[in-house]
Amino acid sequence: MSLDVIKFAINRITDTNPKLGFPRKESELAELCGETITPDGISGEKAFALFRDVLIKASVPINHPRHLAFVPASPTRSAVMFDLVTSAANVHGAFWLEGAGCIFAENQAMKWLVSLTGMPKGAFGVFTSGGTEANLSAMVAARENWRAADESKRSVRGIVIAAISAHSSVRAMAKVIDVDVVSVQTEDRFEAAQLEAALAGLTPDERSRVFAVIASGGTTNAGIIDDLDGISRICRRENFWFHVDAAYGGGALAAISVRHLFKGIENADSVTIDPHKWLFSPYDCGAVLYRDPEQAKRAHAQEGSYLDIFSDEGAKGFNPSDYQIQLTRRMRGLPLWFSLAMHGTNRYTKAIERGIELAKIAGRLITGAPHLGLVREPSLSCVLFRRFGWKAEDYRNWTYRNHKSGFALVAPTKVRHGSEFETVARFCFINPDTTEEDIKAILETML
Ligand SMILES: *Cc1c(COP(=O)(O)O)cnc(C)c1O
């Protein structure tokens, strides 16, 4: 049985063209699987057979070359393989005392991430479960820092400023920490002048409650990079914490062709990057980077008599739990480390550039097709386009048609025109194995 499991894993790791799964209704799955949790167990053979024959077929392999919806992923084979090794190694990733060797390796990968941002010496970060947790951890650090600098803010409800194009997790995490969000009404590039206007529109009370500004280093919908430089200058002047959410776009910091668009990211107080998006790591692997990790530590380090030993002189070292909200954690940065160490960073640059190139190729094909038109020029690896004459339900049917037939998973999105929303099609390229033929074939399904 265990041999079957390992064989399946190896086949799946090396299969570059896996079958595109399609969700089934819960009732169907229940009928096909029956009750799997029983007092005596159903046996590994039976459970694995259900997984292989039913469950995995009702799940989407996110690295399918024609999966261009949402933000897809394409972990390297070496990273996925090392994910197995990471699990097998069973290392607790919260404290140096227990995880020193593995944390050292994670930190080597982190050092590279930090170097991509150009943040000053001393900047460092930690791997998180994803961009949501990274954004949350950064916002908590920002608010704690704001309150530590001025005791009178202790019971004051804070405000963060973000454009409406910011990722949904920004608003969701603002709820978690109970702060207000002032929204800058732009789905296009969030510019310094818009931040000035937003500030001018605040009452003196509101203004005194602002502690952070969040900008995107690649919006999730359109790949737009905000005016990081201009916004960072205002934050510096006003003493606001400047957070850059580059969960999706952060990988493109390694792409020479677009690196200049991120100018200003080096001034950030914190940055979110998801290696499980455009740095070819398996789920789940996000990262939060801080200009001054000590500020994060003051906000996040947990105290308890059972934890004292971890800060003892004899066990001292980098404790990942001090810099984000999670205590017990897996060594989720290890697969990235192994893959980076094996392939070298140049391979990463090449694979990321390919995603940007695929977006350009798609842009050309769309412009050349009479039934299609670009909504805006491709940005990073995102392409927004319309099928002339189609309504929202046509895009929806198109998505289901392609997914059900096992051909492709491509989903529509919406763009805003004033108070109106238009449904359009969207590609997001991550997988360097996606080909021009794949794109052509998908566009042909829109005839
Ligand atoms: C995907 C994304 C997030 C959320 O990250 P998760 O890893 O899904 O938690 C946050 N911000 C941006 C810009 C994203 O693209």
Side-chain angles (χ1 to χ4, degrees):
M1 196 280 296
S2 56
L3 199 63
D4 283 351
V5 172
I6 292 293
K7 258 199 221 149
F8 176 91
I10 291 169
N11 283 339
R12 184 63 191 82
I13 290 169
T14 48
D15 186 358
T16 50
N17 209 348
K19 287 218 159 39
L20 193 60
F22 189 82
R24 281 169 176 274
K25 291 207 178 343
E26 195 190 345
S27 55
E28 286 178 282
L29 291 173
E31 198 164 302
L32 288 163
C33 293
E35 204 51 74
T36 56
I37 305 303
T38 65
D40 299 319
I42 61 171
S43 84
E45 283 81 4
K46 178 106 193 284
F48 185 63
L50 286 174
F51 174 78
R52 186 192 56 212
D53 302 335
V54 178
L55 301 175
I56 197 67
K57 290 181 178 163
S59 310
V60 172
I62 38 94
N63 61 328
H64 190 286
R66 287 183 300 278
H67 173 4
L68 306 178
F70 323 115
V71 178
S74 173
T76 65
R77 270 167 270 188
S78 50
V80 176
M81 191 181 66
F82 215 73
D83 208 33
L84 302 181
V85 173
T86 301
S87 279
N90 263 319
V91 176
H92 191 288
F95 300 107
W96 190 260
L97 171 67
E98 293 188 286
C102 295
I103 294 169
F104 175 84
E106 269 196 337
N107 286 355
Q108 295 251 305
M110 180 55 69
K111 218 162 78 186
W112 178 65
L113 280 191
V114 174
S115 76
L116 292 178
T117 65
M119 289 164 98
K121 197 166 176 298
F124 209 64
V126 67
F127 293 100
T128 64
S129 66
T132 302
E133 192 207 315
N135 284 341
L136 173 60
S137 297
M139 283 158 79
V140 169
R143 187 179 58 185
E144 285 306 297
N145 188 60
W146 174 62
R147 285 180 170 163
D150 179 352
E151 271 302 312
S152 73
K153 302 283 200 261
R154 230 344 100 190
S155 53
V156 173
R157 188 183 166 92
I159 290 178
V160 300
I161 300 180
I164 51 172
S165 53
H167 187 264
S168 53
S169 62
V170 168
R171 272 168 195 82
M173 294 307 104
K175 261 189 246 166
V176 170
I177 66 168
D178 202 25
V179 299
D180 293 319
V181 180
V182 166
S183 294
V184 174
Q185 299 296 316
T186 180
E187 277 203 342
D188 222 305
R189 191 166 184 259
F190 172 21
E191 310 268 1
Q194 291 163 319
L195 176 56
E196 298 282 22
L199 289 172
L202 297 178
T203 64
D205 168 66
E206 286 169 333
R207 177 99 179 208
S208 72
R209 295 196 285 127
V210 176
F211 67 92
V213 178
I214 300 177
S216 298
T219 59
T220 315
N221 205 32
I224 297 165
I225 299 164
D226 292 337
D227 175 13
L228 305 181
D229 197 39
I231 293 170
S232 77
R233 285 166 204 274
I234 298 171
C235 288
R236 186 73 54 85
R237 185 190 76 207
E238 299 290 332
N239 211 11
F240 297 150
W241 183 286
F242 178 43
H243 178 65
V244 177
D245 182 1
Y248 150 63
L253 289 165
I256 290 109
S257 68
V258 294
R259 176 59 182 84
H260 61 280
L261 300 174
F262 290 87
K263 186 173 162 27
I265 196 170
E266 66 279 5
N267 301 329
D269 292 289
S270 53
V271 175
T272 289
I273 299 175
D274 265 356
H276 68 205
K277 282 181 175 163
W278 214 354
L279 288 169
F280 314 110
S281 265
Y283 297 139
D284 40 19
C285 185
V288 58
L289 285 54
Y290 301 98
R291 159 180 292 268
D292 177 2
E294 284 305 308
Q295 289 177 326
K297 195 169 173 178
R298 280 196 291 275
H300 290 291
Q302 298 190 21
E303 283 173 20
S305 47
Y306 38 87
L307 300 178
D308 279 354
I309 183 74
F310 294 117
S311 45
D312 186 76
E313 208 43 55
K316 236 183 182 152
F318 183 88
N319 295 330
S321 63
D322 287 347
Y323 305 93
Q324 38 81 44
I325 60 160
Q326 193 175 5
L327 190 68
T328 299
R329 64 186 280 280
R330 60 195 291 262
M331 299 295 326
R332 59 168 51 84
L334 270 191
L336 173 66
W337 166 75
F338 182 77
S339 180
L340 272 172
M342 174 172 163
H343 294 299
T345 58
N346 287 342
R347 283 285 288 281
Y348 276 69
T349 294
K350 231 171 125 182
I352 295 158
E353 291 282 14
R354 180 63 184 160
I356 296 165
E357 195 182 2
L358 284 166
K360 288 199 179 117
I361 291 170
R364 269 203 309 276
L365 292 171
I366 289 160
T367 307
H371 60 298
L372 303 172
L374 285 175
V375 173
R376 59 192 321 284
E377 282 303 309
S379 193
L380 294 182
S381 67
C382 289
V383 186
L384 299 180
F385 62 106
R386 11 181 112 79
R387 161 63 164 85
F388 299 123
W390 273 13
K391 292 197 266 309
E393 70 207 62
D394 298 310
Y395 288 99
R396 182 173 157 272
N397 294 341
W398 166 72
T399 295
Y400 285 138
R401 211 162 49 233
N402 279 330
H403 190 183
K404 245 184 189 145
S405 68
F407 175 65
L409 179 51
V410 206
T413 186
K414 287 183 181 134
V415 291
R416 214 212 261 274
H417 310 286
S419 57
E420 303 277 295
F421 286 96
E422 179 192 1
T423 299
V424 300
R426 173 177 171 279
F427 289 154
C428 179
F429 296 98
I430 297 284
N431 191 338
D433 292 334
T434 301
T435 63
E436 182 164 345
E437 278 59 48
D438 287 326
I439 303 171
K440 278 185 187 153
I442 292 171
L443 294 179
E444 273 167 23
T445 64
M446 304 181 94
L447 279 170

